[in-house]
Amino acid sequence: MKTLTVALPGREYGILIQRGLLENSGPLCREVLPRARKLFVITDSNVAELYSEKVIKNLEASGFETHLEVVPAGESSKSPAQLAALWEAMMAFGLTRTDGVVALGGGVVGDLAGFAAATVLRGVDFIQIPTTLLAQVDSSVGGKVAIDLKAGKNLAGAFWQPKRVLIDPEVLHTLPDRTFSDGMAEVIKYGCIRDREFFDLLDRCGGRAGVMDQIEDVLYTCCDLKRQVVLEDERDTGVRMTLNFGHTIGHAFELAGNYETWTHGQGVAAGMHWAARIGVRLGVTPEDTIPAIRGILEKYGLPTSIPCPREVMTRAIGLDKKNTGGDIHLIVLTRLGWAEPRRMSRDGLLEQLEALAGAL
């Protein structure tokens, strides 16, 4: 088993990575929730059919009384209405402040379940059991939990650290190729912003089969890089912003497809390519970064550009959570393997994007 510790004072937790770990999920939850009688397990309609029975049996064998709540698969479940329904179901189950919540699923489930745990009874413990590549390397670690509003994604949320993150690489075998590629965008992001050697390793792997041959090391590296950033900046006011490389523009691409046509990973992939090109235009990013990023995205079946009307881009940037007053922090690469926030006006960023759209 590979392990990491996120050593936040008073909120320390472990990340455990091991093939077949779901078979030991009950004892691993009991270790960090010794007083809990009940666990409220949240999953989605896709994951429920694959893994819920195994996890529920394992939890119950460790003495937990469980309730399984299945939400519809997809981004639409990250809604105020779904959150309120979870609160009511938790109360009907008799959840108390010494009990816990388990998020069994991808990023949507983790964000929704985590926010429900952070807010019900003014906060109860929760455990992340991520089942997608994207969730395993990114959204399950770091404590960001949220739901979407009509105005945009993740606009209501909290920082609520899990008690433990349980990562079983075996579950990745059931992912469709598109979902696996979706997660690879976040994996590649870590190489872009923090580790050039890791970027080169992913480039050599060349695709899903190559990554799966050394998946434990890939997962460990991503989680370790995010752990380092979170320990330095838990509340996303400094270096943690760099984890959003490609996201400012990527969220606009997602919005252009009404969060249905383009996945989060596809939006981030194209957003990274555009952000790198803007960095070159600003004289910050070396020009040879562009073909390197384009080449690796293409190897993993990810887009380098997505059509996006100017009005959609304007709306998305106006909602970006890195806004401060009239300015925004765009994450740019000073070299492949290192990123920094660059403060610029929203109008200035839109001018760069408009010029870039005409050049592509």
Side-chain angles (χ1 to χ4, degrees):
M1 180 185 293
K2 292 181 178 291
T3 63
L4 288 161
T5 300
V6 183
L8 291 165
R11 301 178 308 286
E12 181 178 286
Y13 61 94
I15 304 167
L16 281 54
I17 305 168
Q18 185 181 41
R19 291 181 184 267
L21 182 143
L22 286 191
E23 300 289 353
N24 198 34
S25 53
L28 293 174
C29 288
R30 177 56 74 188
E31 284 179 3
V32 294
L33 299 174
R35 296 190 301 156
R37 293 184 305 110
K38 298 184 176 186
L39 289 184
F40 191 92
V41 182
I42 303 172
T43 192
D44 70 28
S45 50
N46 290 336
V47 177
E49 297 180 3
L50 296 169
Y51 303 116
S52 64
E53 183 177 356
K54 179 186 295 185
V55 171
I56 290 294
K57 285 183 177 179
N58 215 273
L59 294 174
E60 291 179 347
S62 292
F64 293 109
E65 179 184 347
T66 65
H67 171 85
L68 179 67
E69 190 76 16
V70 181
V71 302
E75 189 71 26
S76 62
S77 282
K78 282 175 54 175
S79 68
Q82 185 65 73
L83 177 65
L86 290 179
W87 288 332
E88 297 296 346
M90 289 171 173
M91 293 300 93
F93 179 50
L95 201 72
T96 71
R97 295 188 72 181
T98 57
D99 296 321
V101 172
V102 174
L104 174 66
V108 167
V109 167
D111 280 358
L112 175 65
F115 193 32
T119 47
V120 73
L121 300 173
R122 296 192 177 93
V124 301
D125 290 334
F126 90 113
I127 289 173
Q128 289 269 21
I129 307 181
T131 59
T132 65
L133 180 59
L134 190 150
Q136 289 183 351
V137 302
D138 193 67
S139 60
S140 67
V141 177
K144 276 188 177 180
V145 293
I147 59 169
D148 303 337
L149 302 180
K150 290 181 180 179
K153 286 185 63 174
N154 299 325
L155 294 180
F159 290 94
W160 192 249
Q161 302 295 340
K163 293 294 288 184
R164 179 166 273 180
V165 181
L166 305 178
I167 298 176
D168 185 346
E170 289 293 329
V171 303
L172 301 179
H173 290 295
T174 58
L175 295 181
D177 285 340
R178 188 172 190 249
T179 307
F180 189 89
S181 291
D182 191 43
M184 281 305 303
E186 295 286 0
V187 175
I188 292 165
K189 176 197 75 179
Y190 285 109
C192 289
I193 68 170
R194 299 284 290 189
D195 191 333
R196 173 62 189 267
E197 290 185 4
F198 184 54
F199 181 96
D200 292 340
L201 170 66
L202 298 172
D203 197 35
R204 291 194 301 272
C205 285
R208 179 172 184 169
V211 169
M212 287 302 295
D213 283 343
Q214 42 194 319
I215 188 62
E216 291 96 337
D217 290 335
V218 168
L219 294 173
Y220 182 91
T221 298
C222 292
C223 290
D224 189 33
L225 291 171
K226 184 160 189 180
R227 178 189 67 89
Q228 294 171 29
V229 171
V230 170
L231 288 177
E232 187 175 343
D233 175 25
E234 181 185 4
R235 295 283 172 158
D236 203 13
T237 58
V239 68
R240 187 166 179 170
M241 289 185 184
T242 62
L243 294 173
N244 288 312
F245 176 58
H247 286 59
T248 296
I249 305 169
H251 287 158
F253 291 150
E254 289 183 81
L255 180 60
N258 295 312
Y259 302 109
E260 296 176 356
T261 305
W262 304 100
T263 66
H264 175 70
Q266 289 173 326
V268 167
M272 289 191 293
H273 185 240
W274 277 48
R277 291 185 65 102
I278 289 175
V280 170
R281 289 175 57 85
L282 295 174
V284 176
T285 304
E287 289 190 19
D288 60 0
T289 304
I290 304 300
I293 291 177
R294 182 190 306 120
I296 198 170
L297 294 178
E298 290 174 349
K299 285 182 179 180
Y300 288 94
L302 290 162
T304 57
S305 184
I306 290 173
C308 183
R310 190 182 196 281
E311 60 271 19
V312 174
M313 190 69 75
T314 301
R315 177 185 167 199
I317 289 173
L319 293 170
D320 193 278
K321 293 177 289 299
K322 294 180 293 302
N323 283 343
T324 53
D327 293 339
I328 191 166
H329 288 91
L330 180 70
I331 311 306
V332 295
L333 301 180
T334 57
R335 64 180 186 274
L336 191 54
W338 195 254
E340 295 179 0
R342 184 179 179 90
R343 188 165 181 164
M344 58 194 307
S345 70
R346 282 178 281 180
D347 288 343
L349 175 56
L350 286 168
E351 288 175 7
Q352 290 288 340
L353 290 167
E354 194 167 78
L356 186 59
L360 288 174

